[in-house]
Amino acid sequence: MSRKRRAKAEAEIDVGAFADIAFLLIIFFILTTSFVRPLGQEVSIPQTETPENREVDDQTPSVNVTGTTLLFGETEDSMEEITLEALRDRLFQMNLMNAEDQDRMIVLEVADEVTYERYFRIVTLISDAGGVVAIVEEN
Amino acid sequence: MPVRRRKKLKVMIPLASMGDIAFLLIIFFMLVSDFMRDHQEIDPALGADVGELAPAEVSVVVDREGLLWVQGVEVGLHDLGAAVEILLERRREDGIVHLNVDRSLTRPDYMPVIEALSGVGARIALVGMMDTE
């Protein structure tokens, strides 16, 4: 008995729709992607639980900021008005980068009227110089 | 005179390779994407001592109205610490928190936020823009 051979069917998967989906996904990613890394400064603010969170004495360098004035003193008794540029110079002269952790502390007192931009400029400056910002909590 | 019709040619474009390229592009975008988390309206602070930041694990924004947003979701100040703590636990241990505050806000608006973040042991990076003047 002779066997009839089946004709071989040619199977083809339509990948056209597949590519459409892929390109829709690409458009989604192009729209949601942001390549630009944000600018800023990582700041060292002692954590509540750390031993760095201690009472600071009057020998700790302090920065006192109001809406219009900026005071700096290496001790509490030597506070004087200073410009932002001069503060930068003084902090770099103190060589905080190479100092011990406890000697890098800068007490920052900020008045209520100080805008975030002013605070940002001063905190990023202190951090850039290697300082650790101590937040003053009023008792 | 009889005109002889040309036989229609069946043109087939192979789309499989196009799909391959498309998926390679998708993988590329998935790897480099940093999805936009912040869509709040804020004027960023300007400063001279800024540099490129590492990608944020958690993004905290205080907008013009003084409203607080964590990963694009509005939260109250009392919930900030817990929200950031949970998000940092889910991610890397040394996760960095990007804090983006509107430049015009004053101390009572931003200081409690910084204190709350400091309280949960977050590594804080203040986000701003380079002051070119």
Side-chain angles (χ1 to χ4, degrees):
Chain A
M1 194 175 105
S2 65
R3 254 181 130 183
K4 213 178 179 183
R5 279 211 171 173
R6 262 197 185 171
K8 260 194 181 170
E10 209 176 277
E12 217 177 69
I13 300 165
D14 184 20
V15 289
F18 194 57
D20 288 348
I21 295 165
F23 277 104
L24 280 176
L25 281 169
I26 290 170
I27 292 163
F28 166 75
F29 279 112
I30 290 171
L31 293 177
T32 56
T33 297
S34 77
F35 291 102
V36 183
R37 278 200 173 179
L39 294 176
Q41 177 77 250
E42 194 177 327
V43 292
S44 303
I45 297 172
Q47 300 162 14
T48 310
E49 293 87 7
T50 65
E52 285 167 321
N53 186 30
R54 56 184 167 77
E55 279 190 15
V56 288
D57 53 37
D58 53 9
Q59 297 303 305
T60 309
S62 304
V63 178
N64 194 315
V65 192
T66 69
T68 50
T69 60
L70 177 62
L71 302 175
F72 173 73
E74 290 193 30
T75 61
E76 207 177 46
D77 304 325
S78 62
M79 298 294 276
E80 56 177 344
E81 199 161 349
I82 196 169
T83 63
L84 210 58
E85 286 69 34
L87 176 64
R88 178 180 286 111
D89 293 342
R90 290 281 293 275
L91 291 175
F92 276 100
Q93 274 168 19
M94 288 165 69
N95 197 15
L96 297 167
M97 297 262 191
N98 301 317
E100 295 285 322
D101 273 359
Q102 65 270 18
D103 298 328
R104 291 170 55 203
M105 195 83 80
I106 304 287
V107 177
L108 180 62
E109 279 185 82
V110 182
D112 275 355
E113 72 272 16
V114 174
T115 61
Y116 179 71
E117 180 152 276
R118 190 161 161 78
Y119 174 81
F120 177 81
R121 280 177 191 272
I122 293 162
V123 170
T124 52
L125 192 157
I126 294 171
S127 295
D128 199 39
V132 174
V133 180
I135 300 174
V136 177
E137 283 180 13
E138 281 163 30
N139 292 320
Chain B
M1 198 175 105
V3 181
R4 220 176 161 186
R5 282 214 169 170
R6 264 199 182 166
K7 225 182 177 182
K8 258 192 181 171
L9 280 174
K10 207 181 178 188
V11 181
M12 273 191 95
I13 302 163
L15 291 170
S17 54
M18 200 152 94
D20 290 347
I21 296 164
F23 274 102
L24 281 176
L25 281 168
I26 290 170
I27 291 163
F28 166 74
F29 279 112
M30 282 174 81
L31 293 177
V32 299
S33 278
D34 177 18
F35 291 99
M36 287 185 270
R37 295 177 185 132
D38 312 331
H39 50 84
Q40 291 75 37
E41 290 216 344
I42 69 155
D43 289 325
L46 301 176
D49 305 280
V50 293
E52 249 186 31
L53 293 172
E57 296 298 321
V58 180
S59 167
V60 177
V61 174
V62 187
D63 70 11
R64 272 180 210 160
E65 312 294 323
L67 299 172
L68 187 58
W69 305 79
V70 177
Q71 302 287 81
V73 178
E74 193 183 344
V75 295
L77 182 63
H78 294 293
D79 304 321
L80 174 66
V84 170
E85 214 164 19
I86 291 165
L87 288 166
L88 285 176
E89 269 171 23
R90 280 191 205 155
R91 292 168 167 83
R92 287 202 310 261
E93 227 172 72
D94 60 340
I96 192 162
V97 177
H98 281 192
L99 176 62
N100 206 349
V101 180
D102 190 275
R103 65 202 278 191
S104 62
L105 295 181
T106 51
R107 188 185 191 274
D109 296 311
Y110 59 77
M111 197 54 86
V113 177
I114 294 170
E115 283 171 357
L117 291 175
S118 168
V120 295
R123 277 174 61 203
I124 307 167
L126 303 181
V127 179
M129 299 269 279
M130 177 68 83
D131 188 5
T132 49
E133 281 172 24

